[in-house]
Amino acid sequence: MSQLFTPIKLGPVVLPNRIVIAPMCQYSAVDGKATEWHTIHLGQLAFSGSGLLIVEATAVEPEGRISPGDLGLWNDETEQALATTVQAVKKYSAMPLGIQLAHAGRKASMPVPWQPGPAVTPENGGWQPVAPSAIPFDKHSAQPKALTQERIASIIASFAHSAKRADKLGFDVIEIHAAHGYLLHEFLSPISNHREDEYGGSLENRMRLTLEVFSAIRKVLPENKAVGVRISASDWVENGWDLQQSLTLCHKLKELGCDYIHVSSGGLSAQQHIPLSPNYQVPFARKIKAEVGMPTIAVGLITEPEQAEAIIATGEADMVALARGILYNPHWPWHAAAALGAQVSVPKQYWRSQPHRVKGLFTED
């Protein structure tokens, strides 16, 4: 029996299998509002048979967007636009939905990736980025403004308000983005956090914002919603954020009631050196799962069904997340189920595509 296709509980939420669609920015929103692109994009992924679909990094305030094209959830207009997409997806798919709430910090106000260039200036539709300290990401980024404690408090409140809106929209899972060099990760790492107040210096202080954001979100959500955190387990830079500090953070999050950890890495520094290869981030997930005992999602160059099955079957992680691989092949779970002798939920309209050699592959959504 395939372990990849067995159910799993994330707190109160039951997933039908261990395949997660990772949040992937589409840079296709208008003033933070979801568009028809999001309905089409998420709609096709909702037919994939995955266990969970997590909507892309969604800014909790306008200044928290990576680019002017980023999705947001900070007012009634952005909520209503996303409601249109969520309602369409839920009408035709029973797949659990998650949303990743984020603030880009010093990596904000950048152009969309297919039009690379320097930071977008306020004169051209950009804005002033903020960060724990006034240290830019790289030479192409704008000089960020160090956050006051008053602004930190307002950002924590923004995360909580966006979580309440996500709950109202019907999302089952809320994921807090504390990875890839964005604001919460910037506070965690000593490379980007040079503060001398209660949010900087010691590990306890650098973890403070992430823990406060988690607590604020957990407080405003009902018990039937799951809350997890995505982290970069390592900066891949000497004297930066690393696995040992990640373990301490995960223990603290578990004490607060965190339902899962989504384990990625990197993104904080242009000086990073990442040894890319299949499963290159899985050892981080394995260590966190073993030492913290919290459900973990492994991600990064997981491309083959047998590879994903081995990660789950050997206990290295509890779930695997796909990103670019499922953009390339939106029906990856169908093919994985066929290869592993499992079943996958598919809309009836697609049942006639089932190959004759794999009878019983599809079940009703």
Side-chain angles (χ1 to χ4, degrees):
M1 178 180 177
S2 168
Q3 296 302 300
L4 184 64
F5 285 90
T6 57
I8 184 171
K9 288 188 69 176
L10 298 184
V13 178
V14 178
L15 309 185
N17 61 57
R18 311 298 182 96
I19 303 168
V20 176
I21 300 177
M24 293 176 280
C25 290
Q26 296 298 295
Y27 307 101
S28 300
V30 177
D31 296 326
K33 297 188 288 290
T35 65
E36 291 88 350
W37 172 263
H38 295 90
T39 303
I40 295 170
H41 164 67
L42 295 170
Q44 70 162 342
L45 294 179
F47 293 157
S48 69
S50 298
L52 174 66
L53 167 55
I54 306 177
V55 173
E56 66 191 84
T58 302
V60 299
E61 61 178 33
E63 296 79 12
R65 292 173 293 164
I66 304 166
S67 81
D70 274 34
L71 192 63
L73 186 56
W74 60 70
N75 59 15
D76 291 345
E77 290 74 23
T78 52
E79 180 184 328
Q80 184 53 54
L82 190 53
T84 300
T85 292
V86 171
Q87 289 164 9
V89 171
K90 283 184 168 288
K91 183 177 181 179
Y92 295 105
S93 173
M95 183 184 297
L97 292 181
I99 186 170
Q100 186 184 72
L101 298 181
H103 193 298
R106 69 180 186 173
K107 295 177 79 172
S109 197
M110 295 299 293
V112 297
W114 51 83
Q115 294 177 334
V120 182
T121 64
E123 295 77 21
N124 292 310
W127 54 91
Q128 171 64 58
V130 297
S133 305
I135 305 169
F137 172 70
D138 61 19
K139 64 182 180 180
H140 302 294
S141 304
Q143 180 81 17
K145 183 178 180 179
L147 287 163
T148 64
Q149 290 200 10
E150 291 75 19
R151 273 291 285 132
I152 291 173
S154 73
I155 288 172
I156 294 171
S158 293
F159 269 98
H161 292 152
S162 293
K164 289 171 68 175
R165 292 183 184 277
D167 174 41
K168 188 163 64 168
L169 288 171
F171 284 100
D172 306 289
V173 175
I174 308 299
E175 180 170 285
I176 299 166
H177 199 354
H180 300 165
Y182 300 120
L183 186 66
L184 300 187
H185 185 187
E186 291 164 18
F187 271 84
L188 292 170
S189 176
I191 293 174
S192 48
N193 185 347
H194 293 184
R195 298 177 71 94
E196 297 180 352
D197 64 0
E198 64 197 66
Y199 287 96
S202 68
L203 175 58
E204 180 183 8
N205 284 355
R206 287 184 279 113
M207 294 190 303
R208 189 181 306 277
L209 179 58
T210 297
L211 298 177
E212 288 181 345
V213 166
F214 179 89
S215 295
I217 286 178
R218 183 68 274 179
K219 183 178 180 180
V220 301
L221 292 178
E223 293 183 357
N224 66 334
K225 299 299 171 79
V227 183
V229 180
R230 194 178 208 191
I231 66 168
S232 282
S234 172
D235 288 340
W236 297 105
V237 179
E238 189 175 359
N239 298 319
W241 183 256
D242 57 22
L243 177 58
Q244 193 57 49
Q245 294 173 89
S246 294
L247 287 166
T248 302
L249 174 65
C250 290
H251 279 294
K252 294 290 186 181
L253 287 167
K254 184 180 181 181
E255 291 173 8
L256 294 175
C258 186
D259 292 306
Y260 72 90
I261 295 291
H262 192 165
V263 188
S264 188
S265 70
L268 183 105
S269 171
Q271 305 304 313
Q272 66 186 19
H273 293 284
I274 301 177
L276 292 175
S277 63
N279 285 14
Y280 74 102
Q281 294 175 150
V282 172
F284 295 138
R286 178 175 64 237
K287 187 73 169 178
I288 290 170
K289 174 179 166 63
E291 293 205 10
V292 182
M294 195 188 313
T296 58
I297 303 174
V299 65
L301 293 180
I302 300 169
T303 59
E304 306 304 318
E306 295 80 6
Q307 177 190 10
E309 176 72 18
I311 291 168
I312 305 302
T314 59
E316 293 186 284
D318 298 287
M319 295 156 281
V320 295
L322 304 177
R324 298 177 193 186
I326 208 159
L327 290 183
Y328 183 72
N329 179 7
H331 293 156
W332 190 95
W334 299 13
H335 304 151
L340 299 172
Q343 290 187 313
V344 66
S345 295
V346 171
K348 294 187 293 293
Q349 293 91 329
Y350 289 172
W351 284 5
R352 61 185 174 181
S353 71
Q354 179 175 265
H356 292 295
R357 62 180 175 80
V358 283
K359 290 292 186 183
L361 172 64
F362 293 160
T363 61
E364 188 168 357
D365 212 7

